[in-house]
Amino acid sequence: MVYRSCMVVFIILGTYITVSESLRFDLESGHSKCISEDIRVNSMTLGKYSIINPIDNHPLPDSHKLIVRVSSEHGRTYHSADNVDSGQFSFQAVEAGDYVACFLAVDHKPATALTVDFEWKSGIAAKDWTNVAKKGSIDAMELEVKKLLETVTSVHEEMFYLREREQEMQKLNTAINSSMSWLSLLSLLICFSVSGLHLWHLKSFFEKKKII
């Protein structure tokens, strides 16, 4: 029983670790940084970002501005913001794959450094459990059980998603290996053909010069 409980805890912790990302990074004026997240289809995604004020209790300098773009690997844009110091985005993924959040520090002279705090959640971590509890009029225990059920369902779906991604990668590797094999064969044929032409040319040259 204890073993099963530990396994459940590890599964839950693993799920929350994989679906939530919070980080802080530095950007210089005119430079950019992109962060990607692998999100499965129909997963809810929430993101929140802000520039850390370098001087407490003072207004944020005018030089501290960001241009932010969030898009899928297929080119669809889900969030766009220009000259902002903070913001947030939310959407439901309509396609599986890598989603990229790019931050560009607005160019400024003299150059200045920005510290950006960014939190990105998807799946279970992105769900608003407070509203769920209010709408359903459920107590704390029922809410925890509901979270556990959602987590188990998410883990189950994640396993199938990872399996599909693995199959896609295997197909891609097979196609690449096949293409490389044909390319190697074509290269050998070209090399043999060129060598044959060289030999024929040299033989013709020597015959004309009556060397052989």
Side-chain angles (χ1 to χ4, degrees):
M1 190 69 179
V2 174
Y3 176 77
R4 290 183 178 177
S5 300
C6 290
M7 288 297 292
V8 170
V9 170
F10 282 126
I11 290 173
I12 294 172
L13 288 175
T15 303
Y16 276 97
I17 289 172
T18 56
V19 297
S20 178
E21 180 181 359
S22 179
L23 69 155
R24 184 171 291 187
F25 56 89
D26 294 329
L27 270 180
E28 287 190 5
S29 301
H31 290 72
S32 64
K33 182 178 181 65
C34 292
I35 300 163
S36 66
E37 180 80 6
D38 186 12
I39 302 175
R40 68 174 185 270
V41 67
N42 294 328
S43 287
M44 189 64 192
T45 293
L46 294 176
K48 183 170 61 174
Y49 55 88
S50 61
I51 299 175
I52 305 300
N53 196 332
I55 305 175
D56 292 335
N57 302 321
H58 282 75
L60 198 65
D62 293 335
S63 59
H64 286 45
K65 297 294 181 182
L66 290 171
I67 296 174
V68 185
R69 298 287 186 273
V70 180
S71 58
S72 69
E73 63 182 5
H74 303 289
R76 185 194 297 264
T77 300
Y78 287 86
H79 177 71
S80 178
D82 295 332
N83 297 317
V84 296
D85 52 37
S86 64
Q88 58 186 7
F89 58 85
S90 64
F91 59 86
Q92 187 171 7
V94 297
E95 50 197 356
D98 289 330
Y99 286 73
V100 181
C102 289
F103 300 84
L104 171 64
V106 175
D107 199 11
H108 185 269
K109 301 297 181 183
T112 184
L114 286 66
T115 300
V116 182
D117 186 74
F118 179 45
E119 184 178 10
W120 196 350
K121 298 179 180 180
S122 61
I124 296 297
K127 194 161 187 175
D128 189 350
W129 292 104
T130 303
N131 286 334
V132 171
K134 288 179 180 179
K135 291 178 181 179
S137 300
I138 57 179
D139 58 25
M141 182 62 70
E142 289 175 323
L143 182 61
E144 290 301 320
V145 171
K146 195 172 184 65
K147 286 183 181 180
L148 288 174
L149 289 175
E150 290 273 358
T151 302
V152 171
T153 302
S154 177
V155 171
H156 185 68
E157 293 175 351
E158 188 72 22
M159 289 174 63
F160 279 103
Y161 174 67
L162 292 176
R163 185 180 299 175
E164 290 176 359
R165 295 284 283 182
E166 183 182 2
Q167 291 174 351
E168 290 176 1
M169 291 301 298
Q170 288 177 350
K171 290 180 180 178
L172 179 61
N173 289 334
T174 301
I176 291 175
N177 290 334
S178 177
S179 299
M180 291 301 296
S181 297
W182 281 107
L183 183 61
S184 299
L185 180 60
L186 181 61
S187 299
L188 285 174
L189 289 175
I190 292 174
C191 289
F192 287 140
S193 300
V194 171
S195 299
L197 287 172
H198 281 168
L199 289 174
W200 175 80
H201 177 72
L202 289 173
K203 183 179 179 182
S204 301
F205 176 79
F206 289 141
E207 286 177 349
K208 288 181 180 179
K209 296 294 183 179
K210 297 183 180 179
I211 297 176
I212 57 173

